[in-house]
């Protein structure tokens, strides 16, 4: 009768997908952030009053959450921007925690004070997921423009762990963090945590100050990073230290949590998204648009105008019209490629056009694999 | 007997689950699934009920003998009592 979260999670996710029912969503509470990361895909300055004025109000978020809950939503991710810059975050979070969701919080950790942590410990989310933008103040300065952010983030991680709050750390692989894997892994291992690796950096959805494409690794550089990761894993496995890393997604890891979600259901028409996006998962932007995934800005519907349930049904219909990339489907490197309509759209402007960056990466992985076999 | 405040029964993707609310996540670290009959009993217990009431509900809803219904109800109540979910 009772199961642990993880065991039940897969059952619920596959059930929701089969029934095309909403189960997972991300609420992007703000697009504003106190950091100015070079690779950010959606970030406005913390003092951007124009953006702030367009953000949904406390009451609007609460109304949308209630309607989303009534539409079936269970797994809710609160993300940004940086959620802790919202003055009403505490109110919103406490309300949401009374609605019957399983909540996780995505944060950069720099604004998490001891008071925040004590408060969270009294009403803990299922997980706090913190992104580390480097393993030193120097890297933080280079990547985020805020050197002290490193100390603050580490302190937040340790405070959360000390209070027994489930905490995850991950990092985004870009030029600035390219050589920091070992140091970041040490930070994780010292705390008996896995290190999540966000290996794909998407072109901007909306952000004026960043340059994700200019700061991401080339496919060859990324392959070298992955090789190094794999070598370290092998080395540590030999020392009986296992499962040290996992490849994750910058936007919403929970949408594609297990292999079973990647396998297309045999009796359903070919849906373009390999994950739950547009079938059982959705994204609400800071200004109230309902999207299948945070990387995309179309198709969108308007839950504030139509009501969440009607907007969700409309979005699902729109998503069935998104074409599958036939070339990708028939590609011999497909098993080594993480293509999806959202990534293809951001890379090429089309849902169904192969993206040279992803193609090169998959091809490089294949060449390396063959070389290893030989 | 009554279900304690701070728990919500929800039907998610065809499964019944009990989710702790607010501060209750501290004491109930997890999620609980219920069968169809378990969910029925839970709903009755949300409004206060005795074991006899529960047996009656089960007998009304399912074609089973009274003895089996009593055993099932006792087992259900014992499990949720053990989890500190009822007063």
């Amino acid at each position: 009768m009772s199961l642990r979260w993880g065991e039940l999670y897969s059952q619920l996710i596959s059930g929701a997908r089969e029934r095309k029912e909403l189960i997972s969503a991300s609420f992007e509470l703000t697009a504003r952030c106190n950091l100015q990361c070079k690779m950010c895909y959606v970030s406005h300055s913390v003092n951007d009053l124009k953006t702030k004025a367009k953000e949904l109000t406390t009451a609007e978020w609460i109304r949308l959450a209630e309607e989303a809950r009534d539409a079936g939503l269970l797994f809710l991710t609160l993300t940004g921007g940086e959620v802790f810059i919202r003055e009403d975050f505490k109110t919103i979070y406490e309300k949401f925690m009374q609605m019957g969701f399983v909540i996780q919080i995505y944060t950069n950790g720099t604004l998490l004070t001891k008071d925040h942590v004590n408060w969270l410990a009294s009403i803990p989310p299922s997980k706090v997921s913190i992104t580390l933008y480097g393993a030193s103040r120097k890297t933080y300065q280079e990547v985020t423009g805020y050197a002290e952010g490193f100390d603050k983030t580490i302190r937040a991680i340790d405070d959360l762990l000390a209070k027994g709050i489930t905490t995850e750390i991950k990092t985004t692989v870009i030029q600035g963090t390219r050589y920091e894997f070992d140091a970041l892994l040490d930070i994780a291992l010292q705390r008996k945590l896995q290190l999540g690796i966000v290996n794909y950096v998407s072109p901007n959805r909306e952000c004026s100050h960043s340059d994700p494409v200019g700061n991401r690794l080339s496919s060859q550089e990324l392959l070298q990073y992955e090789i190094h990761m794999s070598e370290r894993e092998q080395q540590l496995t030999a020392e009986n230290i296992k499962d040290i890393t996992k490849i994750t997604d910058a936007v919403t890891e929970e949408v594609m949590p297990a292999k079973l979600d990647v396998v297309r259901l045999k009796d359903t028409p070919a849906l373009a998204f390999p994950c739950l996006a547009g079938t059982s998962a959705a994204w609400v932007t800071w200004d109230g648009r309902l999207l299948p995934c945070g990387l995309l800005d179309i198709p969108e519907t308007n839950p504030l105008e139509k009501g969440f349930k009607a907007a969700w049904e409309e979005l699902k219909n729109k998503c069935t019209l998104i074409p599958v990339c036939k070339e990708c489907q028939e590609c011999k490197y497909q098993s080594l490629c993480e293509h999806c309509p959202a990534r293809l759209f951001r890379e090429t402007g089309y849902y169904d056009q192969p993206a040279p960056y992803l193609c090169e990466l998959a091809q490089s992985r294949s060449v390396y694999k063959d070389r290893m076999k030989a | 007997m009554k279900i304690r405040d701070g728990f919500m029964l929800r039907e998610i993707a065809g499964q019944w689950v009990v989710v702790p609310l607010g501060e209750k996540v501290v004491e109930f670290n997890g999620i609980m699934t219920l069968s169809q009959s378990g969910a029925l009993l839970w709903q009755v217990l949300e409004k206060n009920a005795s074991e006899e009431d529960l047996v009656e509900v089960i007998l009304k809803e399912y074609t089973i003998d009274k003895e089996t219904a009593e055993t099932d109800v006792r087992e259900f109540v014992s499990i949720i009592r053990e989890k500190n979910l009822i007063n």
Side-chain angles (χ1 to χ4, degrees), chain A residues 166-196:
Chain A
T166 305
T167 305
E168 167 190 84
I169 57 175
K170 55 182 188 261
T171 189
T172 308
V173 185
I174 57 160
Q175 291 297 344
T177 58
R178 187 176 162 194
Y179 299 108
E180 302 234 326
F181 175 77
D182 290 344
L184 286 164
L185 186 59
D186 285 344
I187 290 173
L189 291 177
Q190 281 158 14
R191 290 160 179 81
K192 297 186 170 55
L193 295 175
Q194 261 191 335
L195 178 64

PDB file of all heavy atoms in Angstrom, chain A residues 166-196:
ATOM      1  N   THR A 166      16.260  17.304   1.420  1.00  0.00           N
ATOM      2  CA  THR A 166      16.816  16.633   0.244  1.00  0.00           C
ATOM      3  C   THR A 166      17.318  17.685  -0.741  1.00  0.00           C
ATOM      4  O   THR A 166      16.565  18.563  -1.163  1.00  0.00           O
ATOM      5  CB  THR A 166      15.738  15.744  -0.424  1.00  0.00           C
ATOM      6  OG1 THR A 166      15.231  14.870   0.561  1.00  0.00           O
ATOM      7  CG2 THR A 166      16.312  14.956  -1.583  1.00  0.00           C
ATOM      8  N   THR A 167      18.586  17.577  -1.047  1.00  0.00           N
ATOM      9  CA  THR A 167      19.219  18.615  -1.868  1.00  0.00           C
ATOM     10  C   THR A 167      19.987  17.958  -3.008  1.00  0.00           C
ATOM     11  O   THR A 167      20.646  16.938  -2.814  1.00  0.00           O
ATOM     12  CB  THR A 167      20.193  19.448  -1.007  1.00  0.00           C
ATOM     13  OG1 THR A 167      19.470  19.957   0.107  1.00  0.00           O
ATOM     14  CG2 THR A 167      20.801  20.600  -1.781  1.00  0.00           C
ATOM     15  N   GLU A 168      19.866  18.577  -4.164  1.00  0.00           N
ATOM     16  CA  GLU A 168      20.570  18.061  -5.344  1.00  0.00           C
ATOM     17  C   GLU A 168      21.486  19.157  -5.844  1.00  0.00           C
ATOM     18  O   GLU A 168      21.126  20.328  -5.773  1.00  0.00           O
ATOM     19  CB  GLU A 168      19.504  17.730  -6.391  1.00  0.00           C
ATOM     20  CG  GLU A 168      20.022  17.483  -7.782  1.00  0.00           C
ATOM     21  CD  GLU A 168      18.877  17.400  -8.792  1.00  0.00           C
ATOM     22  OE1 GLU A 168      18.418  18.460  -9.276  1.00  0.00           O
ATOM     23  OE2 GLU A 168      18.450  16.284  -9.085  1.00  0.00           O
ATOM     24  N   ILE A 169      22.671  18.791  -6.305  1.00  0.00           N
ATOM     25  CA  ILE A 169      23.491  19.820  -6.945  1.00  0.00           C
ATOM     26  C   ILE A 169      23.776  19.428  -8.390  1.00  0.00           C
ATOM     27  O   ILE A 169      23.910  18.257  -8.713  1.00  0.00           O
ATOM     28  CB  ILE A 169      24.798  20.138  -6.193  1.00  0.00           C
ATOM     29  CG1 ILE A 169      25.666  18.905  -6.010  1.00  0.00           C
ATOM     30  CG2 ILE A 169      24.519  20.791  -4.866  1.00  0.00           C
ATOM     31  CD1 ILE A 169      27.016  19.232  -5.380  1.00  0.00           C
ATOM     32  N   LYS A 170      23.810  20.436  -9.218  1.00  0.00           N
ATOM     33  CA  LYS A 170      24.117  20.179 -10.617  1.00  0.00           C
ATOM     34  C   LYS A 170      24.945  21.341 -11.151  1.00  0.00           C
ATOM     35  O   LYS A 170      25.053  22.387 -10.513  1.00  0.00           O
ATOM     36  CB  LYS A 170      22.843  19.970 -11.420  1.00  0.00           C
ATOM     37  CG  LYS A 170      21.811  21.075 -11.342  1.00  0.00           C
ATOM     38  CD  LYS A 170      20.592  20.669 -12.152  1.00  0.00           C
ATOM     39  CE  LYS A 170      19.618  21.802 -12.271  1.00  0.00           C
ATOM     40  NZ  LYS A 170      18.517  21.764 -11.352  1.00  0.00           N
ATOM     41  N   THR A 171      25.523  21.116 -12.309  1.00  0.00           N
ATOM     42  CA  THR A 171      26.301  22.183 -12.922  1.00  0.00           C
ATOM     43  C   THR A 171      26.043  22.214 -14.411  1.00  0.00           C
ATOM     44  O   THR A 171      25.654  21.210 -14.994  1.00  0.00           O
ATOM     45  CB  THR A 171      27.809  22.017 -12.641  1.00  0.00           C
ATOM     46  OG1 THR A 171      28.497  23.193 -13.070  1.00  0.00           O
ATOM     47  CG2 THR A 171      28.396  20.813 -13.371  1.00  0.00           C
ATOM     48  N   THR A 172      26.249  23.368 -14.992  1.00  0.00           N
ATOM     49  CA  THR A 172      26.061  23.524 -16.432  1.00  0.00           C
ATOM     50  C   THR A 172      27.434  23.587 -17.083  1.00  0.00           C
ATOM     51  O   THR A 172      28.291  24.360 -16.665  1.00  0.00           O
ATOM     52  CB  THR A 172      25.294  24.838 -16.717  1.00  0.00           C
ATOM     53  OG1 THR A 172      24.118  24.838 -15.919  1.00  0.00           O
ATOM     54  CG2 THR A 172      24.924  24.960 -18.171  1.00  0.00           C
ATOM     55  N   VAL A 173      27.620  22.754 -18.085  1.00  0.00           N
ATOM     56  CA  VAL A 173      28.933  22.695 -18.729  1.00  0.00           C
ATOM     57  C   VAL A 173      29.039  23.786 -19.795  1.00  0.00           C
ATOM     58  O   VAL A 173      28.336  23.757 -20.805  1.00  0.00           O
ATOM     59  CB  VAL A 173      29.139  21.311 -19.401  1.00  0.00           C
ATOM     60  CG1 VAL A 173      30.555  21.209 -19.960  1.00  0.00           C
ATOM     61  CG2 VAL A 173      28.876  20.192 -18.426  1.00  0.00           C
ATOM     62  N   ILE A 174      29.909  24.740 -19.541  1.00  0.00           N
ATOM     63  CA  ILE A 174      30.172  25.807 -20.532  1.00  0.00           C
ATOM     64  C   ILE A 174      31.676  26.075 -20.536  1.00  0.00           C
ATOM     65  O   ILE A 174      32.426  25.452 -19.779  1.00  0.00           O
ATOM     66  CB  ILE A 174      29.399  27.110 -20.199  1.00  0.00           C
ATOM     67  CG1 ILE A 174      29.754  27.610 -18.795  1.00  0.00           C
ATOM     68  CG2 ILE A 174      27.910  26.926 -20.358  1.00  0.00           C
ATOM     69  CD1 ILE A 174      29.430  29.065 -18.576  1.00  0.00           C
ATOM     70  N   GLN A 175      32.099  27.015 -21.364  1.00  0.00           N
ATOM     71  CA  GLN A 175      33.533  27.309 -21.438  1.00  0.00           C
ATOM     72  C   GLN A 175      34.111  27.611 -20.055  1.00  0.00           C
ATOM     73  O   GLN A 175      35.167  27.114 -19.692  1.00  0.00           O
ATOM     74  CB  GLN A 175      33.779  28.504 -22.381  1.00  0.00           C
ATOM     75  CG  GLN A 175      33.499  28.218 -23.850  1.00  0.00           C
ATOM     76  CD  GLN A 175      34.412  27.146 -24.439  1.00  0.00           C
ATOM     77  OE1 GLN A 175      35.451  26.805 -23.866  1.00  0.00           O
ATOM     78  NE2 GLN A 175      34.015  26.583 -25.568  1.00  0.00           N
ATOM     79  N   GLY A 176      33.386  28.411 -19.274  1.00  0.00           N
ATOM     80  CA  GLY A 176      33.906  28.823 -17.973  1.00  0.00           C
ATOM     81  C   GLY A 176      34.046  27.692 -16.961  1.00  0.00           C
ATOM     82  O   GLY A 176      34.837  27.788 -16.020  1.00  0.00           O
ATOM     83  N   THR A 177      33.285  26.626 -17.137  1.00  0.00           N
ATOM     84  CA  THR A 177      33.349  25.523 -16.157  1.00  0.00           C
ATOM     85  C   THR A 177      33.957  24.256 -16.777  1.00  0.00           C
ATOM     86  O   THR A 177      33.908  23.190 -16.189  1.00  0.00           O
ATOM     87  CB  THR A 177      31.937  25.175 -15.629  1.00  0.00           C
ATOM     88  OG1 THR A 177      31.101  24.814 -16.736  1.00  0.00           O
ATOM     89  CG2 THR A 177      31.301  26.325 -14.889  1.00  0.00           C
ATOM     90  N   ARG A 178      34.509  24.432 -17.954  1.00  0.00           N
ATOM     91  CA  ARG A 178      34.975  23.294 -18.740  1.00  0.00           C
ATOM     92  C   ARG A 178      35.985  22.416 -17.995  1.00  0.00           C
ATOM     93  O   ARG A 178      35.982  21.198 -18.134  1.00  0.00           O
ATOM     94  CB  ARG A 178      35.617  23.850 -20.021  1.00  0.00           C
ATOM     95  CG  ARG A 178      36.012  22.828 -21.013  1.00  0.00           C
ATOM     96  CD  ARG A 178      36.520  23.527 -22.247  1.00  0.00           C
ATOM     97  NE  ARG A 178      37.298  22.629 -23.068  1.00  0.00           N
ATOM     98  CZ  ARG A 178      38.073  23.010 -24.061  1.00  0.00           C
ATOM     99  NH1 ARG A 178      38.175  24.302 -24.352  1.00  0.00           N
ATOM    100  NH2 ARG A 178      38.737  22.138 -24.766  1.00  0.00           N
ATOM    101  N   TYR A 179      36.861  23.054 -17.241  1.00  0.00           N
ATOM    102  CA  TYR A 179      37.913  22.282 -16.567  1.00  0.00           C
ATOM    103  C   TYR A 179      37.614  22.097 -15.078  1.00  0.00           C
ATOM    104  O   TYR A 179      38.512  21.824 -14.285  1.00  0.00           O
ATOM    105  CB  TYR A 179      39.268  22.967 -16.759  1.00  0.00           C
ATOM    106  CG  TYR A 179      39.648  23.059 -18.220  1.00  0.00           C
ATOM    107  CD1 TYR A 179      39.629  24.276 -18.894  1.00  0.00           C
ATOM    108  CD2 TYR A 179      39.983  21.912 -18.939  1.00  0.00           C
ATOM    109  CE1 TYR A 179      39.940  24.354 -20.244  1.00  0.00           C
ATOM    110  CE2 TYR A 179      40.304  21.974 -20.291  1.00  0.00           C
ATOM    111  CZ  TYR A 179      40.270  23.198 -20.930  1.00  0.00           C
ATOM    112  OH  TYR A 179      40.574  23.255 -22.276  1.00  0.00           O
ATOM    113  N   GLU A 180      36.379  22.276 -14.682  1.00  0.00           N
ATOM    114  CA  GLU A 180      36.062  22.264 -13.252  1.00  0.00           C
ATOM    115  C   GLU A 180      35.360  20.988 -12.808  1.00  0.00           C
ATOM    116  O   GLU A 180      34.903  20.894 -11.669  1.00  0.00           O
ATOM    117  CB  GLU A 180      35.193  23.471 -12.899  1.00  0.00           C
ATOM    118  CG  GLU A 180      35.865  24.778 -13.245  1.00  0.00           C
ATOM    119  CD  GLU A 180      35.934  25.735 -12.084  1.00  0.00           C
ATOM    120  OE1 GLU A 180      35.014  25.746 -11.271  1.00  0.00           O
ATOM    121  OE2 GLU A 180      36.937  26.471 -11.992  1.00  0.00           O
ATOM    122  N   PHE A 181      35.229  20.018 -13.707  1.00  0.00           N
ATOM    123  CA  PHE A 181      34.484  18.818 -13.340  1.00  0.00           C
ATOM    124  C   PHE A 181      35.031  18.175 -12.072  1.00  0.00           C
ATOM    125  O   PHE A 181      34.278  17.850 -11.144  1.00  0.00           O
ATOM    126  CB  PHE A 181      34.487  17.799 -14.491  1.00  0.00           C
ATOM    127  CG  PHE A 181      33.825  16.504 -14.117  1.00  0.00           C
ATOM    128  CD1 PHE A 181      32.444  16.408 -14.072  1.00  0.00           C
ATOM    129  CD2 PHE A 181      34.574  15.391 -13.755  1.00  0.00           C
ATOM    130  CE1 PHE A 181      31.815  15.219 -13.700  1.00  0.00           C
ATOM    131  CE2 PHE A 181      33.966  14.204 -13.369  1.00  0.00           C
ATOM    132  CZ  PHE A 181      32.578  14.125 -13.353  1.00  0.00           C
ATOM    133  N   ASP A 182      36.347  17.997 -12.006  1.00  0.00           N
ATOM    134  CA  ASP A 182      36.922  17.299 -10.857  1.00  0.00           C
ATOM    135  C   ASP A 182      36.650  18.046  -9.550  1.00  0.00           C
ATOM    136  O   ASP A 182      36.281  17.443  -8.543  1.00  0.00           O
ATOM    137  CB  ASP A 182      38.449  17.123 -11.034  1.00  0.00           C
ATOM    138  CG  ASP A 182      38.762  16.123 -12.144  1.00  0.00           C
ATOM    139  OD1 ASP A 182      37.848  15.379 -12.538  1.00  0.00           O
ATOM    140  OD2 ASP A 182      39.910  16.115 -12.618  1.00  0.00           O
ATOM    141  N   ALA A 183      36.833  19.365  -9.610  1.00  0.00           N
ATOM    142  CA  ALA A 183      36.628  20.161  -8.392  1.00  0.00           C
ATOM    143  C   ALA A 183      35.151  20.144  -7.979  1.00  0.00           C
ATOM    144  O   ALA A 183      34.817  20.054  -6.786  1.00  0.00           O
ATOM    145  CB  ALA A 183      37.095  21.594  -8.629  1.00  0.00           C
ATOM    146  N   LEU A 184      34.265  20.198  -8.955  1.00  0.00           N
ATOM    147  CA  LEU A 184      32.828  20.162  -8.640  1.00  0.00           C
ATOM    148  C   LEU A 184      32.437  18.786  -8.099  1.00  0.00           C
ATOM    149  O   LEU A 184      31.631  18.676  -7.167  1.00  0.00           O
ATOM    150  CB  LEU A 184      32.006  20.486  -9.897  1.00  0.00           C
ATOM    151  CG  LEU A 184      32.029  21.962 -10.309  1.00  0.00           C
ATOM    152  CD1 LEU A 184      31.551  22.132 -11.742  1.00  0.00           C
ATOM    153  CD2 LEU A 184      31.165  22.795  -9.369  1.00  0.00           C
ATOM    154  N   LEU A 185      33.027  17.769  -8.693  1.00  0.00           N
ATOM    155  CA  LEU A 185      32.740  16.413  -8.219  1.00  0.00           C
ATOM    156  C   LEU A 185      33.203  16.245  -6.770  1.00  0.00           C
ATOM    157  O   LEU A 185      32.510  15.622  -5.956  1.00  0.00           O
ATOM    158  CB  LEU A 185      33.433  15.381  -9.123  1.00  0.00           C
ATOM    159  CG  LEU A 185      33.116  13.922  -8.829  1.00  0.00           C
ATOM    160  CD1 LEU A 185      31.623  13.641  -8.956  1.00  0.00           C
ATOM    161  CD2 LEU A 185      33.892  13.010  -9.781  1.00  0.00           C
ATOM    162  N   ASP A 186      34.346  16.836  -6.455  1.00  0.00           N
ATOM    163  CA  ASP A 186      34.830  16.776  -5.065  1.00  0.00           C
ATOM    164  C   ASP A 186      33.825  17.415  -4.117  1.00  0.00           C
ATOM    165  O   ASP A 186      33.548  16.882  -3.039  1.00  0.00           O
ATOM    166  CB  ASP A 186      36.191  17.484  -4.931  1.00  0.00           C
ATOM    167  CG  ASP A 186      37.318  16.637  -5.515  1.00  0.00           C
ATOM    168  OD1 ASP A 186      37.090  15.438  -5.724  1.00  0.00           O
ATOM    169  OD2 ASP A 186      38.398  17.199  -5.787  1.00  0.00           O
ATOM    170  N   ILE A 187      33.291  18.559  -4.535  1.00  0.00           N
ATOM    171  CA  ILE A 187      32.292  19.250  -3.696  1.00  0.00           C
ATOM    172  C   ILE A 187      31.101  18.313  -3.454  1.00  0.00           C
ATOM    173  O   ILE A 187      30.597  18.195  -2.334  1.00  0.00           O
ATOM    174  CB  ILE A 187      31.823  20.565  -4.372  1.00  0.00           C
ATOM    175  CG1 ILE A 187      32.963  21.583  -4.357  1.00  0.00           C
ATOM    176  CG2 ILE A 187      30.573  21.128  -3.693  1.00  0.00           C
ATOM    177  CD1 ILE A 187      32.679  22.868  -5.141  1.00  0.00           C
ATOM    178  N   ALA A 188      30.690  17.621  -4.517  1.00  0.00           N
ATOM    179  CA  ALA A 188      29.545  16.699  -4.386  1.00  0.00           C
ATOM    180  C   ALA A 188      29.913  15.503  -3.505  1.00  0.00           C
ATOM    181  O   ALA A 188      29.173  15.159  -2.565  1.00  0.00           O
ATOM    182  CB  ALA A 188      29.106  16.227  -5.762  1.00  0.00           C
ATOM    183  N   LEU A 189      31.050  14.891  -3.789  1.00  0.00           N
ATOM    184  CA  LEU A 189      31.425  13.677  -3.050  1.00  0.00           C
ATOM    185  C   LEU A 189      31.633  13.956  -1.564  1.00  0.00           C
ATOM    186  O   LEU A 189      31.268  13.135  -0.720  1.00  0.00           O
ATOM    187  CB  LEU A 189      32.692  13.061  -3.656  1.00  0.00           C
ATOM    188  CG  LEU A 189      32.531  12.451  -5.054  1.00  0.00           C
ATOM    189  CD1 LEU A 189      33.867  11.939  -5.581  1.00  0.00           C
ATOM    190  CD2 LEU A 189      31.503  11.323  -5.058  1.00  0.00           C
ATOM    191  N   GLN A 190      32.215  15.127  -1.269  1.00  0.00           N
ATOM    192  CA  GLN A 190      32.417  15.480   0.145  1.00  0.00           C
ATOM    193  C   GLN A 190      31.089  15.515   0.892  1.00  0.00           C
ATOM    194  O   GLN A 190      31.031  15.345   2.104  1.00  0.00           O
ATOM    195  CB  GLN A 190      33.082  16.857   0.256  1.00  0.00           C
ATOM    196  CG  GLN A 190      34.581  16.838   0.004  1.00  0.00           C
ATOM    197  CD  GLN A 190      35.096  18.224  -0.415  1.00  0.00           C
ATOM    198  OE1 GLN A 190      34.405  19.232  -0.271  1.00  0.00           O
ATOM    199  NE2 GLN A 190      36.318  18.258  -0.929  1.00  0.00           N
ATOM    200  N   ARG A 191      30.037  15.778   0.159  1.00  0.00           N
ATOM    201  CA  ARG A 191      28.703  15.886   0.785  1.00  0.00           C
ATOM    202  C   ARG A 191      27.841  14.668   0.497  1.00  0.00           C
ATOM    203  O   ARG A 191      26.629  14.687   0.715  1.00  0.00           O
ATOM    204  CB  ARG A 191      28.019  17.168   0.278  1.00  0.00           C
ATOM    205  CG  ARG A 191      28.697  18.392   0.842  1.00  0.00           C
ATOM    206  CD  ARG A 191      28.404  19.644   0.050  1.00  0.00           C
ATOM    207  NE  ARG A 191      29.083  20.779   0.680  1.00  0.00           N
ATOM    208  CZ  ARG A 191      30.376  21.063   0.497  1.00  0.00           C
ATOM    209  NH1 ARG A 191      31.121  20.315  -0.296  1.00  0.00           N
ATOM    210  NH2 ARG A 191      30.924  22.086   1.134  1.00  0.00           N
ATOM    211  N   LYS A 192      28.474  13.631  -0.058  1.00  0.00           N
ATOM    212  CA  LYS A 192      27.781  12.385  -0.407  1.00  0.00           C
ATOM    213  C   LYS A 192      26.594  12.640  -1.344  1.00  0.00           C
ATOM    214  O   LYS A 192      25.510  12.054  -1.201  1.00  0.00           O
ATOM    215  CB  LYS A 192      27.310  11.646   0.854  1.00  0.00           C
ATOM    216  CG  LYS A 192      28.452  11.204   1.754  1.00  0.00           C
ATOM    217  CD  LYS A 192      27.956  10.356   2.896  1.00  0.00           C
ATOM    218  CE  LYS A 192      29.062   9.705   3.686  1.00  0.00           C
ATOM    219  NZ  LYS A 192      30.079  10.614   4.208  1.00  0.00           N
ATOM    220  N   LEU A 193      26.811  13.531  -2.304  1.00  0.00           N
ATOM    221  CA  LEU A 193      25.760  13.842  -3.279  1.00  0.00           C
ATOM    222  C   LEU A 193      26.229  13.428  -4.667  1.00  0.00           C
ATOM    223  O   LEU A 193      27.428  13.342  -4.931  1.00  0.00           O
ATOM    224  CB  LEU A 193      25.472  15.351  -3.293  1.00  0.00           C
ATOM    225  CG  LEU A 193      24.898  15.970  -2.029  1.00  0.00           C
ATOM    226  CD1 LEU A 193      24.801  17.485  -2.199  1.00  0.00           C
ATOM    227  CD2 LEU A 193      23.529  15.383  -1.712  1.00  0.00           C
ATOM    228  N   GLN A 194      25.252  13.192  -5.539  1.00  0.00           N
ATOM    229  CA  GLN A 194      25.565  13.014  -6.948  1.00  0.00           C
ATOM    230  C   GLN A 194      25.776  14.391  -7.560  1.00  0.00           C
ATOM    231  O   GLN A 194      25.224  15.375  -7.052  1.00  0.00           O
ATOM    232  CB  GLN A 194      24.349  12.414  -7.647  1.00  0.00           C
ATOM    233  CG  GLN A 194      24.390  10.943  -7.871  1.00  0.00           C
ATOM    234  CD  GLN A 194      23.264  10.500  -8.797  1.00  0.00           C
ATOM    235  OE1 GLN A 194      22.237  11.150  -8.914  1.00  0.00           O
ATOM    236  NE2 GLN A 194      23.463   9.376  -9.441  1.00  0.00           N
ATOM    237  N   LEU A 195      26.533  14.444  -8.635  1.00  0.00           N
ATOM    238  CA  LEU A 195      26.657  15.713  -9.349  1.00  0.00           C
ATOM    239  C   LEU A 195      25.855  15.610 -10.649  1.00  0.00           C
ATOM    240  O   LEU A 195      26.141  14.766 -11.497  1.00  0.00           O
ATOM    241  CB  LEU A 195      28.133  16.004  -9.660  1.00  0.00           C
ATOM    242  CG  LEU A 195      28.407  17.279 -10.455  1.00  0.00           C
ATOM    243  CD1 LEU A 195      27.988  18.523  -9.678  1.00  0.00           C
ATOM    244  CD2 LEU A 195      29.892  17.376 -10.828  1.00  0.00           C
ATOM    245  N   GLY A 196      24.849  16.446 -10.778  1.00  0.00           N
ATOM    246  CA  GLY A 196      24.067  16.472 -12.014  1.00  0.00           C
ATOM    247  C   GLY A 196      24.816  17.287 -13.058  1.00  0.00           C
ATOM    248  O   GLY A 196      25.387  18.335 -12.739  1.00  0.00           O
TER     249      GLY A 196
END
